[in-house]
Amino acid sequence: MAGYALKRLMTEYKELMSHTPEGILAAPIDEENFFEWECLITGPEATPFAYGVFPARISFPQDYPLSPPKMRFTCDLFHPNIYQDGRVCISILHAPGDDPTGYETSSERWSPVQSVEKILLSVVSMLAEPNDESAANVNAAKMWREDRAQFERIANNLVRKTLSLPQPDS
């Protein structure tokens, strides 16, 4: 199975290189291991994360694309759908099949027709429009709902940090 997964990842990498979505860079860490990728995602315009550059890693299982990869931001990111350790929590990365909690439909979850590009575009969309109903970071979700100005200040400080810009005076 790992042979098929490697072939699929190589094909997806070639496709990404031929038409890279705006604001996204992604590639295997090295040519010896196509199962670990590094990514840079630019925060979408007109969002609290606008213009930030957020590094992440994607780890692919040996049975990819039958099972979803795992994605984790390697920088600080305060967001309702990102765990405090950087793990991304969105439907497209959840194992295929029925959701045991009944929150997601099977069509929202991982399927082998998904791709690295679709994952990355979903993450950009998630940055723009958090799902505060299914929070990985409850504090961020609560702040997103109840104190948007404070959430935006935190996000702006994180953006500045990713760009190595000085923090505003408190």
Side-chain angles (χ1 to χ4, degrees):
M1 189 65 195
Y4 178 78
L6 177 60
K7 184 176 178 181
R8 167 81 181 253
L9 288 168
M10 292 172 83
T11 300
E12 288 191 42
Y13 177 59
K14 286 179 191 172
E15 289 173 9
L16 268 178
M17 293 301 97
S18 68
H19 56 68
T20 304
E22 187 175 332
I24 296 172
L25 291 174
I29 291 174
D30 63 53
E31 292 182 12
E32 299 299 314
N33 184 3
F34 262 74
F35 290 87
E36 293 290 329
W37 290 33
E38 289 181 318
C39 313
L40 290 175
I41 297 175
T42 303
E45 290 183 37
T47 73
F49 301 100
Y51 311 112
V53 179
F54 305 101
R57 290 188 80 155
I58 301 176
S59 300
F60 296 90
Q62 294 293 311
D63 67 345
Y64 180 80
L66 298 177
S67 296
K70 294 183 180 352
M71 183 171 179
R72 186 178 70 80
F73 281 96
T74 57
C75 63
D76 290 336
L77 204 48
F78 186 72
H79 187 281
N81 306 116
I82 299 172
Y83 289 99
Q84 289 183 345
D85 66 1
R87 287 177 295 133
V88 175
C89 180
I90 56 174
S91 299
I92 194 174
L93 292 177
H94 294 161
D98 293 328
D99 179 6
T101 65
Y103 181 78
E104 300 166 333
T105 65
S106 60
S107 64
E108 294 173 301
R109 296 167 70 89
W110 178 258
S111 80
V113 300
Q114 305 295 1
S115 65
V116 175
E117 180 180 4
K118 288 178 184 175
I119 293 166
L120 295 170
L121 291 172
S122 294
V123 170
V124 170
S125 177
M126 175 202 74
L127 288 174
E129 298 176 33
N131 177 359
D132 62 354
E133 297 297 316
S134 177
N137 183 328
V138 175
N139 293 333
K142 186 172 191 274
M143 191 178 294
W144 172 261
R145 282 192 302 268
E146 297 174 6
D147 190 352
R148 188 70 56 93
Q150 177 66 12
F151 181 91
E152 290 178 0
R153 277 191 294 280
I154 292 171
N156 183 264
N157 288 340
L158 292 171
V159 166
R160 296 179 69 79
K161 186 176 178 181
T162 72
L163 300 173
S164 297
L165 296 172
Q167 295 298 311
D169 294 331
S170 297

